[in-house]
Amino acid sequence: MKNIGLFLCSVTGFFIILGCLFYNSLLIDMDKMKDYVTESNLILEEYVKNKEKVDSAKGEYISRLLTIKRGMESANTSFLFDKYKVIKISSIELLIETISEENKNDKEEYLKLVFKSDNESQDELDKLMNKNFIQVTYLSLKTYISVE
């Protein structure tokens, strides 16, 4: 009986360590991406608030977004974070299209797609981080990733 208890404690400890490694890996990946995500969110916010300013300095903003995109693509993250990274990069590409587009109707359509893509990336992040775990432990990881 004593050996069974020891075995169960060892198995439980193993799964706890495995869970910690999983969340630690995600936190490290999020830390690598947070600067890029924050910068792209600032550009998006600036575009939404002041379209004329962004349109007048279109080249600068597109250059910044391309730099962010290259940085995200070259960021060395785990396979767990690949889907989030792909969705976020597509969001940046859509934002580049939004800024470079001349037709106002197309701009609005691209902007809707940017917000949709950002929501998809946030959903993917919630799914990865298991939102219930975050709420129970008060582990507030979305604060520097979220678009809002």
Side-chain angles (χ1 to χ4, degrees):
M1 193 65 170
K2 188 165 124 180
N3 291 337
I4 293 174
L6 182 60
F7 174 73
L8 291 176
C9 286
S10 298
V11 169
T12 304
F14 173 75
F15 283 114
I16 289 172
I17 290 171
L18 207 62
C20 290
L21 288 174
F22 172 76
Y23 282 106
N24 189 38
S25 173
L26 290 177
L27 287 172
I28 290 170
D29 289 345
M30 290 169 72
D31 189 47
K32 291 177 184 176
M33 300 287 283
K34 75 177 180 180
D35 293 334
Y36 301 122
V37 173
T38 303
E39 183 70 19
S40 68
N41 289 343
L42 287 173
I43 292 172
L44 177 60
E45 182 180 342
E46 210 168 309
Y47 179 78
V48 169
K49 287 184 178 179
N50 195 352
K51 291 179 185 176
E52 292 79 25
K53 177 184 174 189
V54 175
D55 284 340
S56 66
K58 194 182 287 191
E60 175 190 339
Y61 285 98
I62 291 174
S63 173
R64 284 172 54 193
L65 285 168
L66 288 172
T67 303
I68 292 168
K69 180 184 167 197
R70 279 192 301 273
M72 274 186 161
E73 289 172 339
S74 67
N76 194 11
T77 57
S78 68
F79 70 95
L80 301 168
F81 221 61
D82 282 345
K83 187 173 179 184
Y84 172 81
K85 193 166 133 176
V86 166
I87 295 171
K88 204 62 185 166
I89 289 172
S90 73
S91 172
I92 291 173
E93 289 170 348
L94 287 168
L95 186 56
I96 291 170
E97 290 295 322
T98 303
I99 292 173
S100 63
E101 184 61 44
E102 295 298 327
N103 187 348
K104 285 191 178 197
N105 292 334
D106 289 342
K107 277 187 181 225
E108 293 301 319
E109 195 61 39
Y110 280 129
L111 192 58
K112 287 177 188 174
L113 291 173
V114 169
F115 285 125
K116 181 181 176 190
S117 182
D118 280 343
N119 288 336
E120 285 177 20
S121 67
Q122 192 61 46
D123 291 343
E124 178 64 24
L125 190 62
D126 288 343
K127 187 169 51 170
L128 275 174
M129 295 305 295
N130 189 358
K131 197 171 183 181
N132 295 331
F133 177 78
I134 293 172
Q135 291 170 345
V136 168
T137 60
Y138 302 106
L139 189 60
S140 167
L141 302 171
K142 289 180 11 175
T143 54
Y144 60 87
I145 295 287
S146 178
V147 173
E148 301 169 276

